[in-house]
Amino acid sequence: MALVSYIIGDCPSCGTPASYGNVMVSGYALLRGCLKCKHLDRISLPELKKKVIYLDQFFFSHAFRGQDKMFIEAQQRITNLALAQQVVVPYSNLHADESQLWAESQRAPLLKFIKQTSLGHRFSYEYEVKNRQIHRAFQSFLANSPTTDTVERADALRRDVNEWDDYVWIDVGNFSNEHGTLKMRKDRSVKALLDVFDMWASTNSTFEEDVQSEVRSCAKSYIEHYVDYLKSIAGGDPGALLNANENSMMIESLLRYDDKLPAHLRMQRIMAFFQSDYFANVPEVRIGSEFFALLRQKLRQGEFINKKKNRSRFSGLFYDVRFISTYAPYCDAMVVDNLMYQWATDPLIDLPKRLGVRLFSRNNWNEFLTYLDELESDRSPAIDDALKMIHPVGA
Ligand SMILES: [Zn+2]
């Protein structure tokens, strides 16, 4: 016998009236079974080609507050497309972190709202994505392969998005309270950023030089974290391993390649890798560096001179650059704020051209609505029939 969630009729095997129906959706099939006997049918479902959409915190905040009609309507349409198995809207650890920055009573409801739209689909954590990208680049470096980096959807989405989603999903996530730490970190990094604006504005360098300088400081930060980690181990800190952050663990994991080589040679190799184009072309490193290089360029051109305005304008910049640089290569479309839209479509960066990702913001909302129209009109009759089997009317 099975846990039948929706009865459709009599069992074709034992004949018990009103005992046969939907059990669950699993992968690419609908399972139907009987309340009384062991009969189980596996009904294959049609192939899906879902679009992966990233909705940023700005979008969710507006839809959640429920005051802005354009966001509420778009969110509802996207949820319907997700239920119709045409899109997935995975949430990321950045959604969770940014929700933590809200007033206490709103944090959990906001994250729940985000997860409901995602139907439980989740992007891999940022550090997992970086890890996979950097390891692949390091392997290319060791093998002397071309430096052009490739991405694989599994870097960021472990589960095949084209599996059928069940109509029930259970939220297993727990909500840790890190409001204080996250708020402090955010304030500190935004202040540090605003503090270098004058210097950046007066430095004569080219965009490409600035990208390289950002890439190098990113490499440097990995190495510094590792050195700190080694120091705390050498100092006998019992919590060293427990408190080690992902950046120091990255180097630790790169040291595991060819462990028969002497350690100092392995470390030398890693240093050479961090100086190489292999590292500079890691998508997350490259895209993130370009965003800050573009900011420097804009400052040189005399933009953003209002210091007071900058504080609010750039308060979410780090989160925005993080989610775009990490997840853009894995998305078909992203909804971002106007500033990110401008920068990501700037000819110097041009993510849509490089990655094929569609970008939308309030700047081109009509294009976004047209995109949703197109998705909605793109439903196949076979999928509609399957949806009717899975979600029987009234179930
Ligand atoms: Zn039966």
Side-chain angles (χ1 to χ4, degrees):
M1 62 161 275
L3 270 170
V4 178
S5 57
Y6 181 75
I7 302 283
I8 55 168
D10 306 343
C11 176
S13 183
C14 68
T16 311
S19 69
Y20 176 76
N22 292 354
V23 178
M24 67 188 287
V25 174
S26 169
Y28 313 94
L30 166 66
L31 301 184
R32 282 182 166 165
C34 172
L35 282 171
K36 295 283 176 220
C37 74
K38 281 183 179 158
H39 183 81
L40 198 64
D41 289 322
R42 192 175 179 281
I43 302 162
S44 285
L45 296 168
E47 193 187 332
L48 297 170
K49 289 198 179 81
K50 296 182 204 173
K51 301 281 184 206
V52 177
I53 302 181
Y54 195 102
L55 300 174
D56 79 345
Q57 194 72 10
F58 179 81
F59 178 97
F60 277 121
S61 308
H62 277 80
F64 176 72
R65 281 196 198 100
Q67 287 155 352
D68 219 329
K69 218 169 138 197
M70 64 192 265
F71 288 96
I72 303 166
E73 284 175 1
Q75 191 268 343
Q76 277 163 357
R77 288 179 72 182
I78 289 172
T79 304
N80 290 336
L81 284 165
L83 289 168
Q85 318 275 329
Q86 288 175 283
V87 304
V88 273
V89 191
Y91 70 94
S92 75
N93 60 290
L94 290 154
H95 287 120
D97 283 3
E98 286 199 86
S99 299
Q100 291 258 356
L101 295 165
W102 279 50
E104 193 167 6
S105 61
Q106 300 290 300
R107 287 173 211 159
L110 171 61
L111 188 60
K112 190 173 172 205
F113 177 77
I114 293 171
K115 286 182 176 179
Q116 274 165 349
T117 311
S118 73
L119 303 180
H121 283 273
R122 171 176 91 70
F123 278 112
S124 296
Y125 289 110
E126 270 175 293
Y127 70 84
E128 295 175 314
V129 178
K130 283 187 216 179
N131 206 9
R132 288 168 196 141
Q133 291 183 352
I134 288 181
H135 273 266
R136 192 175 304 123
F138 189 62
Q139 287 156 13
S140 300
F141 166 81
L142 293 180
N144 227 349
S145 310
T147 56
T148 43
D149 206 70
T150 51
V151 293
E152 289 168 16
R153 191 159 257 180
D155 292 343
L157 290 155
R158 294 313 262 177
R159 200 179 130 200
D160 179 7
V161 294
N162 287 321
E163 284 184 6
W164 279 73
D165 290 314
D166 209 339
Y167 49 103
V168 282
W169 64 274
I170 294 151
D171 181 8
V172 289
N174 52 343
F175 200 76
S176 57
N177 186 359
E178 292 179 284
H179 173 81
T181 320
L182 289 168
K183 175 101 177 49
M184 185 197 62
R185 258 190 231 156
K186 179 181 173 179
D187 292 348
R188 203 168 52 189
S189 49
V190 172
K191 186 179 177 305
L193 175 75
L194 297 178
D195 284 347
V196 295
F197 269 25
D198 289 339
M199 201 258 280
W200 280 358
S202 60
T203 309
N204 277 317
S205 44
T206 64
F207 174 75
E208 194 47 42
E209 283 165 356
D210 288 342
V211 172
Q212 289 308 319
S213 136
E214 289 291 329
V215 167
R216 297 307 150 220
S217 73
C218 175
K220 202 169 140 228
S221 137
Y222 276 110
I223 294 160
E224 280 172 359
H225 278 114
Y226 189 61
V227 170
D228 287 348
Y229 164 72
L230 292 182
K231 276 186 192 155
S232 58
I233 288 202
D237 176 1
L241 203 58
L242 227 67
N243 296 324
N245 72 12
E246 301 110 21
N247 288 347
S248 53
M249 289 298 99
M250 179 76 75
I251 295 199
E252 185 85 357
S253 66
L254 295 179
L255 276 169
R256 286 189 206 121
Y257 286 81
D258 303 317
D259 57 6
K260 290 201 175 66
L261 271 183
H264 72 278
L265 291 182
R266 276 181 278 143
M267 198 62 206
Q268 265 174 22
R269 258 183 356 183
I270 294 172
M271 293 302 181
F273 165 69
F274 276 119
Q275 294 299 319
S276 72
D277 283 346
Y278 291 95
F279 179 71
N281 287 338
V282 168
E284 186 272 335
V285 174
R286 175 86 204 174
I287 298 169
S289 298
E290 286 176 349
F291 272 91
F292 287 102
L294 188 68
L295 169 59
R296 293 192 194 201
Q297 168 111 337
K298 304 241 174 229
L299 290 167
R300 269 200 298 276
Q301 291 164 348
E303 280 191 55
F304 310 128
I305 42 174
N306 186 332
K307 292 203 151 93
K308 222 178 191 171
K309 227 173 162 187
N310 283 345
R311 228 172 292 155
S312 59
R313 180 186 274 136
F314 293 110
S315 72
L317 184 77
F318 284 99
Y319 282 111
D320 287 347
V321 172
R322 278 166 64 186
F323 84 71
I324 292 188
S325 59
T326 309
Y327 300 113
Y330 310 98
C331 291
D332 294 294
M334 296 180 115
V335 182
V336 300
D337 72 9
N338 284 343
L339 186 74
M340 280 299 108
Y341 175 80
Q342 277 168 23
W343 290 11
T345 56
D346 188 286
L348 286 170
I349 297 184
D350 207 346
L351 293 184
K353 193 174 159 197
R354 270 159 60 184
L355 306 172
V357 59
R358 300 282 307 268
L359 289 176
F360 303 109
S361 77
R362 278 187 296 184
N363 276 339
N364 64 340
W365 201 256
N366 279 335
E367 284 177 38
F368 178 44
L369 296 181
T370 307
Y371 179 72
L372 296 180
D373 288 341
E374 284 164 10
L375 288 175
E376 283 162 356
S377 62
D378 198 27
R379 277 168 68 163
S380 82
I383 291 172
D384 270 346
D385 289 346
L387 284 169
K388 279 179 206 142
M389 290 198 302
I390 294 173
H391 305 260
V393 181

